[in-house]
Amino acid sequence: MLKIVGYTDRPSVRPGEGLAFKVSCEGGAAEYDAEILRLICGDDSPQGPGFKSDPVAASVNGRYPGRKQRINCGSFGYVERGFVTHDHTGGFTLAVVIQPTWLTKKADQALLACRAVDEPGRPGWSLLLDAAARPVFELSNGHHDYAIHLDLAVPEKRWSLIIVAVAGSSVTISHRLLTPLPKEGAVASMTAPFPFAIPRTRGLPVTIAAELASVEGERLFTTRHYDGKIESPLIRPWIDDPESVGTIDSLFAGCYARWDFSQSIGSQDIVDASGHGRHGRLVNLPTRAVTGHNWKGQTLRWSDRPDLYGAIHFHCDDLHDMQWETDFSWTIPADLKSGVYAARVSCADGGEDFLPFFVLPAKKAPKAPVAFLASTFTFMAYANSHHGYEDALSEVCYGALLELGPAEQFLKERRDFGISLYDRHRDGSGGVYSSWHRPILNTRPKRALWNFNADLHVVDWLTETSQHFDIITDDHIHAEGVELLRDYRCIVTGSHPEYHSTEMLDAFDTYLQNGGRLMYLGGNGFYWRVATHSDLPGVIEVRRGEAGTRCFELPPGERFHSFTGEFGGLWRSNGRAPQTLVGVGFVAEGFDENSHFVRTEQSFDPRAAFIFEGVGRDEKIGDFGVLGGAAGYELDAADPELGTPPHALVLARSVEHSNVFLLTPEEMLAGFPGADAIENPKVRAELVYFETGTDGAVFSTGSITWAASLCHNSYDNNVARITGNVLRRFIDPRPL
Ligand SMILES: [Fe+2]
């Protein structure tokens, strides 16, 4: 188990900006040491170059008191002064439309609650589903508790209307199925007296989809989290016949508070449509822009008909910001070189963690000729991913038994560290938001060679070959566009730059049309569309649709981003296939053994002569490397139909992949025998080069494992030679 973990408050900074570090000693250590390191290589595997870093004489290096920091995982709605009845003796009515999605968890799930957390006995009320999925209304006056339950289990994944009418001395609770099956009773209700006066709850907070347990400063701690959709929760004057109410709309008039989730869908606000101004906010990023009870396929885009999107989907494992206390803050010194950095924290019980961050050069500082792109959106998409080791098909896809490292073992236990965009929530629905504001245990050196740690192979090669380079990041390109890119003669990507926003693709397009040069040293790049929100720094949204290699498919009608209204899914499905930008796009993947490339006739074109200087005609390219071969894991190829420019040169193709390498689903309109590499020549990576616009150019390797071959034989090998030849020529300002 991991003994110490932490995170920085944002992924990337410039000199002069501050960065906060948050640490939790999970093993209970009383103190820990922190030191800032510049990271060069994180690959401590037996085949790798070893962990390499440079110490930084930072003012924050030193010993700190340890503590275990609390986490409140699970989303909910919070209305600070939500309960508004003026006359308690007159009673009130609660109503809500629900579609529960995880009833087999057999735990209480609060739908709507109003509780005083600073008084003994927490006086107030809660409407919930109990462990047997029965609607329950609980009332407490701080001394006595009372509960009435309906002797009926609400169904999972179907819509129900629940109404509770509280009079002076009795409660009626009713349940109506909004889409009853033939011969299924639509309505059930029950009335019972209660033995004490309604407690005074005026001015207390109302929570939706959880019950408030305690408040610590700005931090809210909740319990009894609900998994599922909620729509139109409301509080209104008492009605005497809740079982006769057919639709919730008929209760809208005269409400004390009515939260209309079809308003402000793109935000974290919840709007009170009653006119009483009891607006609230969402905590921990429940999923918005999801279909409501009245959606029947009328539109697939929420912004066309927000009234059909009046639901919010809450999950007990939603997580936005762990809100940990800051242990130390550091203002990035003006003279700190741009690079990949980390705070290494360690404690006496053997705990060690690295809190990575990326330092860009100051805006007005002279720039290096090369910028290495740290794929911060991709790192966030994969943050704390469970999929790779919990999916039943993983061992078949890897062609090997699984090995669980310490981070995977920790995350299997600790669901409160949140999920990635590759994971389903505990209720089975797909994750659509991911956040930097938590320890991301797979964005670390010394971990599996995937994304961050694999990308450090490129940083290592640039460093070992004395290349002067800066670091730029996805989040900064997204925010600053081509202004950030145009300072560089050449941009170099990592092994898997998979996730990009519209703003990023626009920036790359403009950069390449205006003489920029791009080295795409990865596979499965520029693949999914990402959305961000200006009010939610460090958060991304991805909506996976009906195409692509994916771990789940979102339901129909829920494939447009809530943050921007844009259609989600593959860039290929949005008219900007990766081939249009970098000449190649995802065609196949396999995770058993990696292979190598062989040159094509086009590699002898005089336009490509500079790329192959020092490389023989018949050399196998990359039949070596930390991951076994330079052609592997995920493979991209050229496709003129999808936008590879006609003048692009396909310089080399990968060969000899196993039957574990298969075509991607988007490459197959129908399943057919012969979709693996043994039988299908389309299962291959292609090395591609082409010129763009006014003297720009692109070089693409089309393989995730290319970067892991750079270090072979002390950086003297044909993968490093080709990459170095291209880099030298791309930073040379002479026309190509
Ligand atoms: Fe990926």
Side-chain angles (χ1 to χ4, degrees), residues 351-569:
E352 178 188 59
D353 195 15
F354 294 86
L355 286 50
F357 57 97
F358 306 93
V359 177
L360 287 82
K363 267 193 171 165
K364 293 195 173 148
K367 302 300 188 293
V370 177
F372 175 74
L373 172 60
S375 298
T376 49
F377 286 171
T378 299
F379 305 156
M380 282 159 62
Y382 277 91
N384 293 343
S385 167
H386 292 258
H387 172 75
Y389 52 90
E390 291 185 352
D391 181 58
L393 291 173
S394 287
E395 291 188 333
V396 187
C397 292
Y398 298 152
L401 295 175
L402 283 175
E403 288 177 53
L404 267 61
E408 288 84 19
Q409 292 176 47
F410 182 87
L411 289 169
K412 272 182 93 68
E413 301 286 319
R414 295 296 299 273
R415 297 284 164 174
D416 55 349
F417 275 61
I419 63 169
S420 74
L421 300 182
Y422 286 78
D423 300 319
R424 295 174 186 268
H425 290 283
R426 304 304 299 277
D427 71 352
S429 59
V432 303
Y433 306 116
S434 184
S435 153
W436 182 265
H437 307 290
R438 53 177 168 153
I440 298 179
L441 302 177
N442 52 356
T443 297
R444 297 285 190 265
K446 302 188 180 180
R447 292 273 158 79
L449 290 168
W450 187 257
N451 289 334
F452 178 83
N453 204 22
D455 292 358
L456 284 174
H457 280 135
V458 181
V459 172
D460 178 44
W461 171 74
L462 290 168
T463 306
E464 292 288 345
T465 55
S466 304
Q467 179 57 54
H468 182 203
F469 66 100
D470 290 339
I471 296 287
I472 59 173
T473 59
D474 288 349
D475 49 297
H476 271 85
I477 298 176
H478 173 80
E480 298 171 16
V482 72
E483 292 304 311
L484 179 63
L485 302 181
R486 72 164 100 245
D487 284 336
Y488 297 97
R489 292 199 198 286
C490 178
I491 310 292
V492 178
T493 77
S495 61
H496 192 25
E498 185 175 3
Y499 290 82
H500 299 269
S501 64
T502 308
E503 290 83 347
M504 292 181 72
L505 290 197
D506 290 347
F508 279 117
D509 273 342
T510 309
Y511 173 71
L512 291 175
Q513 288 313 309
N514 290 289
R517 294 166 182 178
L518 175 62
M519 294 176 70
Y520 163 40
L521 301 186
N524 183 222
F526 306 94
Y527 190 62
W528 293 104
R529 179 182 237 169
V530 170
T532 71
H533 197 290
S534 56
D535 293 344
L536 296 165
V539 174
I540 60 168
E541 178 179 16
V542 172
R543 296 271 175 159
R544 302 198 194 277
E546 56 271 24
T549 296
R550 59 221 190 278
C551 306
F552 53 81
E553 183 174 286
L554 292 173
E558 300 186 4
R559 298 173 188 172
F560 285 79
H561 291 105
S562 65
F563 289 168
T564 57
E566 294 171 318
F567 185 60

Side-chain angles (χ1 to χ4, degrees), residues 44 48 81 93 96 110 126 142 162 168 188 225 236 248 261 269 320 370 462 565 571 652 696 716:
D44 61 348
R81 289 171 60 82
T93 300
V96 63
S126 305
I162 298 177
H225 281 268
R236 54 156 294 130
I248 197 162
F261 299 157
D269 301 329
H320 170 204
V370 177
L462 290 168
W571 275 114
D716 183 10

Side-chain angles (χ1 to χ4, degrees), residues 79 208 233 257-265 267-275 277-282 288 312:
V79 186
I208 300 162
R258 175 168 78 80
W259 293 288
D260 179 359
F261 299 157
S262 74
Q263 297 190 40
S264 300
I265 286 176
S267 79
Q268 298 304 299
D269 301 329
I270 47 179
V271 173
D272 174 14
S274 74
R278 299 289 172 181
H279 307 303
R281 63 186 167 92
L282 296 169
R288 294 199 86 157
I312 293 177

Side-chain angles (χ1 to χ4, degrees), residues 218-260:
E218 294 289 296
R219 305 186 63 194
L220 306 172
F221 292 90
T222 40
T223 182
R224 296 171 130 183
H225 281 268
Y226 164 76
D227 285 83
K229 290 181 177 177
I230 294 188
E231 189 168 354
S232 293
L234 62 83
I235 306 172
R236 54 156 294 130
W238 181 74
I239 56 171
D240 65 356
D241 55 347
E243 60 280 358
S244 71
V245 175
T247 64
I248 197 162
D249 318 32
S250 61
L251 299 176
F252 283 179
C255 285
Y256 300 134
R258 175 168 78 80
W259 293 288
D260 179 359

